Amino acid sequence: MKMLVIFGILVMFTEAGVGLLSMNPVCRFNQSDPCYGAVGRLLYLQLPSEDEFKLKKINSGYSPYIFRFKKKTITLKHSDPRWQFVTDNSTMIISSAEKRDSGRYTLYTFDSAGSGRGIYHPQLVIEAAVSSVTVTDSCLSIEKRKVYCSSDGDNVHYNWTFQHTHPLADGIQTLLLDREAVGNVTCYAQNHVSHEHKTIEIQRCPEPETVTPTTPLNFKVTLRTQSGKGTSLSDKEAQTPTHNCNSNTQDHLSFQRDIVFVVVQVLEITVLLLLLGGFHIYARIQRKQTKKAAESKEEEVDEGLYTNLDQEDKKK
């Protein structure tokens, strides 16, 4: 751990460390803007040059002190070994920042006499760095194409350029371009702690698919031929060309065939029901007519009988 502290001091005070400081930022406790750090990277917190410090992290409930320093002596060491304090230049070094380090802190400062010198409220924000930038391209229709950018990381902001010079859009992940657009498209992904980019070359979208002949499909047709003593079977091969149709057209034709089939079935059932209903009505009419004819015949017989009786009575 002592080697880590020495390394941190060397990075801060040598020109060779300038490049590393750009990756591992230095924050000051008296700055008004939030301090951003990357997950897994070093973070330097510069404290004011005072004789005494008291540091606490503000929680929803009770917030105890997490670090104390007085008269060049650490009186309360941070419980997490990742937090190391360099007394020579009043710098707190977080060796590997984690998201749980994020939050609002309060720093109390005092002079050698114990008089208050100032209270500071720094805000730490630890983000996952941008990585794994991916750009995909797809043709949506005969007029438009979609270019989509994605990445890992927290609070990522995206912007685009075409042919590395012409800005296209800012703050969006998806581009809609004309299908005729060709060239290099670059997606820039960045957050507060890092940035990455990815460039792809987009080609002209292919023309819409058309029906084209393909390799003939062989199949067997069984033909019945008449022989001397009976019927025999002989297999002969025939060939028919097939066509590569657009899948949407095939689906549409299949749907139309299904509708026609259903309509035909419904019509057949309707005709059958009409025939059955007509037959039933005809049978009822026939029964009524037969019954009425029988009753008329019976009345004629009765009338004939009564007429004969009347004639016999008159003769008497």
Side-chain angles (χ1 to χ4, degrees), residues 180-316:
E180 302 296 330
V182 293
N184 292 326
V185 175
T186 303
C187 171
Y188 296 89
Q190 62 182 2
N191 58 11
H192 297 92
V193 296
S194 64
H195 57 85
E196 297 287 345
H197 72 275
K198 177 74 173 182
T199 301
I200 65 168
E201 182 179 0
I202 58 175
Q203 304 291 339
R204 187 185 302 273
C205 287
E207 296 297 327
E209 293 184 4
T210 58
V211 176
T212 56
T214 60
T215 304
L217 177 66
N218 295 333
F219 65 94
K220 288 186 177 182
V221 177
T222 302
L223 300 177
R224 294 183 180 271
T225 59
Q226 197 73 23
S227 62
K229 294 184 179 180
T231 302
S232 62
L233 299 178
S234 62
D235 293 339
K236 295 184 178 180
E237 289 190 358
Q239 292 184 346
T240 180
T242 61
H243 299 279
N244 181 20
C245 298
N246 184 277
S247 60
N248 292 334
T249 304
Q250 291 179 349
D251 293 340
H252 183 67
L253 292 176
S254 177
F255 179 72
Q256 288 182 338
R257 286 196 297 269
D258 292 340
I259 292 178
V260 172
F261 177 79
V262 171
V263 171
V264 171
Q265 294 294 322
V266 170
L267 290 176
E268 290 178 353
I269 294 173
T270 302
V271 172
L272 180 60
L273 291 176
L274 290 175
L275 290 175
L276 291 175
F279 177 78
H280 178 69
I281 294 172
Y282 174 79
R284 289 186 61 183
I285 293 173
Q286 287 296 111
R287 285 198 299 269
K288 288 181 178 180
Q289 290 179 350
T290 303
K291 185 177 180 181
K292 184 179 288 187
E295 290 175 353
S296 298
K297 188 175 182 179
E298 185 177 355
E299 289 177 358
E300 290 176 0
V301 171
D302 291 339
E303 288 178 359
L305 180 60
Y306 290 138
T307 302
N308 293 333
L309 292 175
D310 290 339
Q311 290 178 355
E312 289 178 359
D313 291 338
K314 290 179 179 181
K315 289 181 179 179
K316 291 179 180 180

Side-chain angles (χ1 to χ4, degrees), residues 1-121:
M1 190 59 67
K2 291 182 178 179
M3 293 297 297
L4 174 63
V5 174
I6 294 174
F7 173 76
I9 297 173
L10 291 175
V11 168
M12 294 178 63
F13 290 96
T14 61
E15 294 182 0
V18 172
L20 289 177
L21 284 176
S22 62
M23 294 179 60
N24 307 302
V26 177
C27 297
R28 300 185 180 278
F29 265 71
N30 57 357
Q31 70 182 49
S32 58
D33 297 331
C35 171
Y36 291 94
V39 173
R41 295 182 184 174
L42 287 168
L43 180 61
Y44 301 96
L45 306 175
Q46 183 66 56
L47 280 68
S49 298
E50 299 293 348
D51 292 302
E52 184 178 355
F53 308 114
K54 292 181 180 180
L55 178 65
K56 65 169 57 178
K57 184 177 182 181
I58 305 303
N59 301 314
S60 57
Y62 174 64
S63 301
Y65 290 108
I66 59 175
F67 176 78
R68 286 179 180 175
F69 176 79
K70 185 176 183 179
K71 296 181 180 181
K72 298 184 179 182
T73 302
I74 299 174
T75 59
L76 176 62
K77 189 176 182 179
H78 199 291
S79 60
D80 193 327
R82 296 179 299 111
W83 289 60
Q84 294 295 318
F85 183 68
V86 182
T87 59
D88 294 341
N89 55 10
S90 300
T91 302
M92 184 72 75
I93 302 175
I94 304 178
S95 61
S96 179
E98 299 178 2
K99 288 189 177 182
R100 60 191 176 99
D101 297 324
S102 298
R104 181 169 293 278
Y105 294 78
T106 298
L107 177 68
Y108 301 91
T109 61
F110 306 88
D111 59 15
S112 59
S115 300
R117 296 286 295 171
I119 301 176
Y120 307 96
H121 303 281

